Amino acid sequence: MIYIACTFLVAHVSSQSTLAMVDIFDTLLGGYGNIVICFLGIAGGLATVNVYTASCSKLMWSFSHNGVLPPLYQQKNSSGTAQIALRHIVLLMAVVLTVSHLFKLDLAVLVGLCNGVFVVIYLTSMFAAFKLLPKKYFWLASISIIVCLTLAFSLSWQMAYALILLIIVAPLAKRKHSIISTT
C-alpha cells in the first residue's frame, strides 16, 4: 500500500527534482519530507532484509533436514529459529559488506549481480512449471519465461555472475541429489 500510495503521489504531484518523493513530502508536511522518506526507506529496507534473512535460514534448515546440508543447521532455538543457520547467514552478510567496503564496490553493480541470480531462479522455476503444472497453464509459464529472458537480456553482463554460480552449484546439487536418492 505504501508503494502504491507513493507511486500515485509521484504520478499526480509535479516535481522537477531528482528526489521527487522528498519534494512531495516536503510540500505535504511543511518541510519534513526528507525525514519521512528517511524513515520509510529504513523501515522498508530493514523489513526486506529481515524477511530474506529469516527465509534463508529456514531454507538452510529445510535443506539440512532433507540431507542436502550438514545436520548442524537443523538445530533450532526455543523460539523455533534455525539459530546456527541464521548466524552463518549474518556472518556471510558481514563478510560481503566488509569486502564491498574495503574494495569500494559499487552498490548498483552489486544489486545488478543479485538481480541476475533472481532471474535465474525465476527462470528455472518457470521451466519446472512446464512439468509440474497442468497443461492449461503452459501459456502462463511461457509468458513468464519470456519476461525472465527479457530481464536477463536487459541485465547483460551482470548475468555472468548468476551463470557462473549456476555452473558451479548445479553439478554439486545434482551430485548431492543422486547421493540422497541412492541411500
Side-chain angles (χ1 to χ4, degrees), residues 169-181:
V169 172
L172 296 174
K174 189 174 181 179
R175 186 173 78 72
K176 187 66 174 181
H177 178 68
S178 66
I179 292 171
I180 293 170
S181 299

Side-chain angles (χ1 to χ4, degrees), residues 74-94:
Q74 290 182 29
Q75 182 180 345
K76 289 186 174 183
N77 65 13
S78 60
S79 302
T81 302
Q83 185 172 331
I84 294 174
L86 186 60
R87 284 183 188 160
H88 286 173
I89 291 166
V90 171
L91 178 65
L92 180 62
M93 290 167 75

Side-chain angles (χ1 to χ4, degrees), residues 113-159:
L113 297 175
C114 290
N115 286 341
V117 172
F118 282 111
V119 168
V120 168
I121 291 169
Y122 293 136
L123 187 60
T124 55
S125 298
M126 291 306 102
F127 281 122
F130 282 136
K131 183 162 182 123
L132 299 174
L133 292 176
K135 295 296 179 206
K136 67 180 181 178
Y137 296 111
F138 180 84
W139 66 273
L140 189 57
S142 298
I143 291 171
S144 298
I145 286 173
I146 292 168
V147 169
C148 288
L149 290 173
T150 304
L151 289 171
F153 180 75
S154 71
L155 288 172
S156 66
W157 67 269
Q158 293 174 329
M159 284 298 298

Side-chain angles (χ1 to χ4, degrees), residues 23-62:
D23 284 350
I24 292 168
F25 275 90
D26 271 343
T27 302
L28 294 173
L29 302 174
Y32 296 101
N34 59 343
I35 295 171
V36 171
I37 294 300
C38 177
F39 281 116
L40 286 176
I42 290 172
L46 286 175
T48 303
V49 168
N50 285 339
V51 167
Y52 278 127
T53 306
S55 298
C56 192
S57 69
K58 182 72 174 178
L59 179 65
M60 286 179 70
W61 174 87
S62 175

